[in-house]
PDB file of all heavy atoms in Angstrom:
ATOM      1  N   ALA A1399     106.944  74.714  88.085  1.00 46.00           N
ATOM      2  CA  ALA A1399     107.548  75.639  87.175  1.00 46.00           C
ATOM      3  C   ALA A1399     106.514  76.661  86.728  1.00 46.00           C
ATOM      4  O   ALA A1399     105.384  76.325  86.515  1.00 46.00           O
ATOM      5  CB  ALA A1399     108.088  74.956  85.908  1.00 46.00           C
ATOM      6  N   LEU A1400     106.969  77.864  86.657  1.00 47.00           N
ATOM      7  CA  LEU A1400     106.214  78.946  86.045  1.00 47.00           C
ATOM      8  C   LEU A1400     106.854  79.247  84.668  1.00 47.00           C
ATOM      9  O   LEU A1400     107.947  79.612  84.587  1.00 47.00           O
ATOM     10  CB  LEU A1400     106.235  80.196  86.899  1.00 47.00           C
ATOM     11  CG  LEU A1400     105.738  81.498  86.242  1.00 47.00           C
ATOM     12  CD1 LEU A1400     104.210  81.403  86.051  1.00 47.00           C
ATOM     13  CD2 LEU A1400     106.110  82.678  86.903  1.00 47.00           C
ATOM     14  N   VAL A1401     106.074  79.006  83.599  1.00 58.00           N
ATOM     15  CA  VAL A1401     106.659  79.223  82.288  1.00 58.00           C
ATOM     16  C   VAL A1401     106.168  80.532  81.733  1.00 58.00           C
ATOM     17  O   VAL A1401     104.984  80.675  81.551  1.00 58.00           O
ATOM     18  CB  VAL A1401     106.320  78.053  81.314  1.00 58.00           C
ATOM     19  CG1 VAL A1401     106.983  78.286  79.961  1.00 58.00           C
ATOM     20  CG2 VAL A1401     106.775  76.738  81.920  1.00 58.00           C
ATOM     21  N   LEU A1402     107.069  81.447  81.464  1.00 57.00           N
ATOM     22  CA  LEU A1402     106.775  82.703  80.904  1.00 57.00           C
ATOM     23  C   LEU A1402     107.085  82.622  79.385  1.00 57.00           C
ATOM     24  O   LEU A1402     108.119  83.033  78.977  1.00 57.00           O
ATOM     25  CB  LEU A1402     107.545  83.828  81.561  1.00 57.00           C
ATOM     26  CG  LEU A1402     107.369  83.872  83.051  1.00 57.00           C
ATOM     27  CD1 LEU A1402     108.385  84.823  83.683  1.00 57.00           C
ATOM     28  CD2 LEU A1402     105.949  84.419  83.434  1.00 57.00           C
ATOM     29  N   ALA A1403     106.219  81.911  78.628  1.00 45.00           N
ATOM     30  CA  ALA A1403     106.456  81.547  77.271  1.00 45.00           C
ATOM     31  C   ALA A1403     105.603  82.305  76.313  1.00 45.00           C
ATOM     32  O   ALA A1403     104.445  82.660  76.678  1.00 45.00           O
ATOM     33  CB  ALA A1403     106.342  80.054  77.030  1.00 45.00           C
ATOM     34  N   SER A1404     106.086  82.595  75.099  1.00 45.00           N
ATOM     35  CA  SER A1404     105.283  83.254  74.150  1.00 45.00           C
ATOM     36  C   SER A1404     104.209  82.359  73.609  1.00 45.00           C
ATOM     37  O   SER A1404     104.322  81.236  73.440  1.00 45.00           O
ATOM     38  CB  SER A1404     106.238  83.707  72.975  1.00 45.00           C
ATOM     39  OG  SER A1404     105.441  84.318  71.993  1.00 45.00           O
ATOM     40  N   THR A1405     103.043  82.971  73.347  1.00 39.00           N
ATOM     41  CA  THR A1405     101.912  82.191  72.816  1.00 39.00           C
ATOM     42  C   THR A1405     101.987  82.190  71.347  1.00 39.00           C
ATOM     43  O   THR A1405     101.191  81.517  70.665  1.00 39.00           O
ATOM     44  CB  THR A1405     100.654  82.887  73.232  1.00 39.00           C
ATOM     45  OG1 THR A1405     100.572  84.257  72.750  1.00 39.00           O
ATOM     46  CG2 THR A1405     100.401  82.779  74.718  1.00 39.00           C
ATOM     47  N   ALA A1406     103.012  82.806  70.781  1.00 46.00           N
ATOM     48  CA  ALA A1406     103.197  82.749  69.298  1.00 46.00           C
ATOM     49  C   ALA A1406     104.712  82.541  69.006  1.00 46.00           C
ATOM     50  O   ALA A1406     105.489  82.738  69.902  1.00 46.00           O
ATOM     51  CB  ALA A1406     102.783  84.076  68.672  1.00 46.00           C
ATOM     52  N   VAL A1407     105.015  82.083  67.856  1.00 40.00           N
ATOM     53  CA  VAL A1407     106.425  81.866  67.440  1.00 40.00           C
ATOM     54  C   VAL A1407     107.136  83.193  67.470  1.00 40.00           C
ATOM     55  O   VAL A1407     106.613  84.194  67.069  1.00 40.00           O
ATOM     56  CB  VAL A1407     106.456  81.219  66.077  1.00 40.00           C
ATOM     57  CG1 VAL A1407     107.889  81.011  65.654  1.00 40.00           C
ATOM     58  CG2 VAL A1407     105.752  79.926  65.999  1.00 40.00           C
ATOM     59  N   HIS A1408     108.380  83.183  67.942  1.00 47.00           N
ATOM     60  CA  HIS A1408     109.139  84.351  68.052  1.00 47.00           C
ATOM     61  C   HIS A1408     109.680  84.775  66.654  1.00 47.00           C
ATOM     62  O   HIS A1408     110.860  84.712  66.338  1.00 47.00           O
ATOM     63  CB  HIS A1408     110.360  84.231  68.951  1.00 47.00           C
ATOM     64  CG  HIS A1408     110.053  84.152  70.435  1.00 47.00           C
ATOM     65  ND1 HIS A1408     109.844  82.992  71.104  1.00 47.00           N
ATOM     66  CD2 HIS A1408     109.768  85.111  71.287  1.00 47.00           C
ATOM     67  CE1 HIS A1408     109.451  83.218  72.344  1.00 47.00           C
ATOM     68  NE2 HIS A1408     109.431  84.562  72.483  1.00 47.00           N
ATOM     69  N   ALA A1409     108.712  85.162  65.783  1.00 51.00           N
ATOM     70  CA  ALA A1409     109.080  85.478  64.426  1.00 51.00           C
ATOM     71  C   ALA A1409     109.693  86.873  64.253  1.00 51.00           C
ATOM     72  O   ALA A1409     110.368  87.165  63.355  1.00 51.00           O
ATOM     73  CB  ALA A1409     107.887  85.329  63.502  1.00 51.00           C
ATOM     74  N   ALA A1410     109.311  87.735  65.284  1.00 80.00           N
ATOM     75  CA  ALA A1410     109.703  89.160  65.120  1.00 80.00           C
ATOM     76  C   ALA A1410     111.062  89.433  65.707  1.00 80.00           C
ATOM     77  O   ALA A1410     111.553  90.584  65.616  1.00 80.00           O
ATOM     78  CB  ALA A1410     108.618  89.976  65.721  1.00 80.00           C
ATOM     79  N   CYS A1411     111.663  88.527  66.427  1.00 92.00           N
ATOM     80  CA  CYS A1411     112.918  88.800  67.069  1.00 92.00           C
ATOM     81  C   CYS A1411     113.830  87.543  67.125  1.00 92.00           C
ATOM     82  O   CYS A1411     113.300  86.438  67.002  1.00 92.00           O
ATOM     83  CB  CYS A1411     112.682  89.391  68.504  1.00 92.00           C
ATOM     84  SG  CYS A1411     111.800  88.298  69.598  1.00 92.00           S
ATOM     85  N   THR A1412     115.056  87.781  67.417  1.00 96.00           N
ATOM     86  CA  THR A1412     116.054  86.671  67.498  1.00 96.00           C
ATOM     87  C   THR A1412     116.501  86.558  68.957  1.00 96.00           C
ATOM     88  O   THR A1412     116.865  87.533  69.568  1.00 96.00           O
ATOM     89  CB  THR A1412     117.278  86.924  66.624  1.00 96.00           C
ATOM     90  OG1 THR A1412     116.834  87.057  65.259  1.00 96.00           O
ATOM     91  CG2 THR A1412     118.225  85.817  66.692  1.00 96.00           C
ATOM     92  N   PRO A1413     116.432  85.334  69.557  1.00 97.00           N
ATOM     93  CA  PRO A1413     116.882  85.174  70.923  1.00 97.00           C
ATOM     94  C   PRO A1413     118.233  85.724  71.158  1.00 97.00           C
ATOM     95  O   PRO A1413     119.178  85.532  70.343  1.00 97.00           O
ATOM     96  CB  PRO A1413     116.828  83.678  71.129  1.00 97.00           C
ATOM     97  CG  PRO A1413     115.743  83.181  70.152  1.00 97.00           C
ATOM     98  CD  PRO A1413     115.942  84.100  69.004  1.00 97.00           C
ATOM     99  N   ALA A1414     118.465  86.436  72.287  1.00 98.00           N
ATOM    100  CA  ALA A1414     119.727  87.041  72.581  1.00 98.00           C
ATOM    101  C   ALA A1414     120.747  85.991  73.095  1.00 98.00           C
ATOM    102  O   ALA A1414     121.952  86.229  73.228  1.00 98.00           O
ATOM    103  CB  ALA A1414     119.576  88.109  73.586  1.00 98.00           C
ATOM    104  N   ILE A1415     120.288  84.750  73.475  1.00 98.00           N
ATOM    105  CA  ILE A1415     121.125  83.755  74.016  1.00 98.00           C
ATOM    106  C   ILE A1415     120.869  82.475  73.133  1.00 98.00           C
ATOM    107  O   ILE A1415     119.776  82.068  72.937  1.00 98.00           O
ATOM    108  CB  ILE A1415     120.746  83.408  75.490  1.00 98.00           C
ATOM    109  CG1 ILE A1415     120.899  84.629  76.394  1.00 98.00           C
ATOM    110  CG2 ILE A1415     121.667  82.282  75.988  1.00 98.00           C
ATOM    111  CD1 ILE A1415     120.415  84.402  77.772  1.00 98.00           C
ATOM    112  N   THR A1416     122.029  81.959  72.618  1.00 98.00           N
ATOM    113  CA  THR A1416     121.870  80.788  71.687  1.00 98.00           C
ATOM    114  C   THR A1416     121.640  79.481  72.528  1.00 98.00           C
ATOM    115  O   THR A1416     121.988  79.421  73.672  1.00 98.00           O
ATOM    116  CB  THR A1416     123.135  80.627  70.884  1.00 98.00           C
ATOM    117  OG1 THR A1416     124.250  80.467  71.742  1.00 98.00           O
ATOM    118  CG2 THR A1416     123.406  81.873  70.052  1.00 98.00           C
ATOM    119  N   ASP A1417     121.146  78.471  71.867  1.00 98.00           N
ATOM    120  CA  ASP A1417     120.861  77.190  72.550  1.00 98.00           C
ATOM    121  C   ASP A1417     122.058  76.543  73.175  1.00 98.00           C
ATOM    122  O   ASP A1417     121.982  75.890  74.232  1.00 98.00           O
ATOM    123  CB  ASP A1417     120.228  76.248  71.571  1.00 98.00           C
ATOM    124  CG  ASP A1417     118.771  76.608  71.195  1.00 98.00           C
ATOM    125  OD1 ASP A1417     118.187  77.453  71.881  1.00 98.00           O
ATOM    126  OD2 ASP A1417     118.196  75.957  70.235  1.00 98.00           O
ATOM    127  N   GLY A1418     123.236  76.851  72.556  1.00 98.00           N
ATOM    128  CA  GLY A1418     124.456  76.232  73.134  1.00 98.00           C
ATOM    129  C   GLY A1418     124.845  76.761  74.487  1.00 98.00           C
ATOM    130  O   GLY A1418     125.634  76.064  75.175  1.00 98.00           O
ATOM    131  N   ASN A1419     124.234  77.872  74.920  1.00 98.00           N
ATOM    132  CA  ASN A1419     124.574  78.387  76.247  1.00 98.00           C
ATOM    133  C   ASN A1419     123.462  78.127  77.237  1.00 98.00           C
ATOM    134  O   ASN A1419     123.508  78.567  78.376  1.00 98.00           O
ATOM    135  CB  ASN A1419     124.773  79.884  76.104  1.00 98.00           C
ATOM    136  CG  ASN A1419     125.991  80.248  75.403  1.00 98.00           C
ATOM    137  OD1 ASN A1419     127.084  79.855  75.841  1.00 98.00           O
ATOM    138  ND2 ASN A1419     125.903  80.967  74.323  1.00 98.00           N
ATOM    139  N   LEU A1420     122.490  77.332  76.873  1.00 98.00           N
ATOM    140  CA  LEU A1420     121.293  77.044  77.715  1.00 98.00           C
ATOM    141  C   LEU A1420     121.258  75.511  78.105  1.00 98.00           C
ATOM    142  O   LEU A1420     121.691  74.700  77.298  1.00 98.00           O
ATOM    143  CB  LEU A1420     119.997  77.420  77.024  1.00 98.00           C
ATOM    144  CG  LEU A1420     119.883  78.924  76.659  1.00 98.00           C
ATOM    145  CD1 LEU A1420     118.664  79.162  75.709  1.00 98.00           C
ATOM    146  CD2 LEU A1420     119.710  79.797  77.902  1.00 98.00           C
ATOM    147  N   ILE A1421     120.597  75.270  79.224  1.00 98.00           N
ATOM    148  CA  ILE A1421     120.421  73.883  79.589  1.00 98.00           C
ATOM    149  C   ILE A1421     119.493  73.170  78.608  1.00 98.00           C
ATOM    150  O   ILE A1421     119.765  71.992  78.187  1.00 98.00           O
ATOM    151  CB  ILE A1421     119.857  73.831  81.108  1.00 98.00           C
ATOM    152  CG1 ILE A1421     120.874  74.361  82.051  1.00 98.00           C
ATOM    153  CG2 ILE A1421     119.516  72.348  81.439  1.00 98.00           C
ATOM    154  CD1 ILE A1421     122.144  73.627  82.109  1.00 98.00           C
ATOM    155  N   ALA A1422     118.420  73.775  78.348  1.00 98.00           N
ATOM    156  CA  ALA A1422     117.471  73.255  77.386  1.00 98.00           C
ATOM    157  C   ALA A1422     117.314  74.248  76.232  1.00 98.00           C
ATOM    158  O   ALA A1422     117.191  75.416  76.413  1.00 98.00           O
ATOM    159  CB  ALA A1422     116.085  72.949  78.047  1.00 98.00           C
ATOM    160  N   PRO A1423     117.210  73.714  74.971  1.00 97.00           N
ATOM    161  CA  PRO A1423     117.112  74.634  73.850  1.00 97.00           C
ATOM    162  C   PRO A1423     115.863  75.556  73.937  1.00 97.00           C
ATOM    163  O   PRO A1423     114.799  75.099  74.345  1.00 97.00           O
ATOM    164  CB  PRO A1423     116.977  73.690  72.645  1.00 97.00           C
ATOM    165  CG  PRO A1423     117.548  72.412  73.105  1.00 97.00           C
ATOM    166  CD  PRO A1423     117.249  72.307  74.553  1.00 97.00           C
ATOM    167  N   GLY A1424     116.012  76.796  73.573  1.00 96.00           N
ATOM    168  CA  GLY A1424     114.926  77.740  73.404  1.00 96.00           C
ATOM    169  C   GLY A1424     114.259  78.261  74.643  1.00 96.00           C
ATOM    170  O   GLY A1424     113.193  78.893  74.563  1.00 96.00           O
ATOM    171  N   LYS A1425     114.883  78.076  75.868  1.00 98.00           N
ATOM    172  CA  LYS A1425     114.259  78.666  77.093  1.00 98.00           C
ATOM    173  C   LYS A1425     115.331  78.828  78.121  1.00 98.00           C
ATOM    174  O   LYS A1425     116.275  78.082  78.146  1.00 98.00           O
ATOM    175  CB  LYS A1425     113.128  77.768  77.611  1.00 98.00           C
ATOM    176  CG  LYS A1425     113.569  76.342  78.003  1.00 98.00           C
ATOM    177  CD  LYS A1425     112.331  75.587  78.504  1.00 98.00           C
ATOM    178  CE  LYS A1425     112.702  74.129  78.849  1.00 98.00           C
ATOM    179  NZ  LYS A1425     111.520  73.332  79.338  1.00 98.00           N
ATOM    180  N   LEU A1426     115.094  79.800  78.993  1.00 98.00           N
ATOM    181  CA  LEU A1426     115.981  80.114  80.089  1.00 98.00           C
ATOM    182  C   LEU A1426     115.259  79.598  81.359  1.00 98.00           C
ATOM    183  O   LEU A1426     114.175  80.086  81.759  1.00 98.00           O
ATOM    184  CB  LEU A1426     116.202  81.600  80.134  1.00 98.00           C
ATOM    185  CG  LEU A1426     117.110  82.117  81.306  1.00 98.00           C
ATOM    186  CD1 LEU A1426     118.532  81.625  81.146  1.00 98.00           C
ATOM    187  CD2 LEU A1426     117.139  83.694  81.374  1.00 98.00           C
TER     188      LEU A1426
END
């Protein structure tokens, strides 16, 4: 896996896709 993840908490924005629509919470 290549993880393109933020090195800081996403405090400045709200994810455009909610966890209920993802296989695993908080990541695509």
Side-chain angles (χ1 to χ4, degrees):
L1400 166 73
V1401 182
L1402 303 166
S1404 176
T1405 56
V1407 178
H1408 288 96
C1411 59
T1412 301
I1415 302 172
T1416 61
D1417 287 348
N1419 291 301
L1420 299 169
I1421 296 298
K1425 62 181 178 180
L1426 179 66

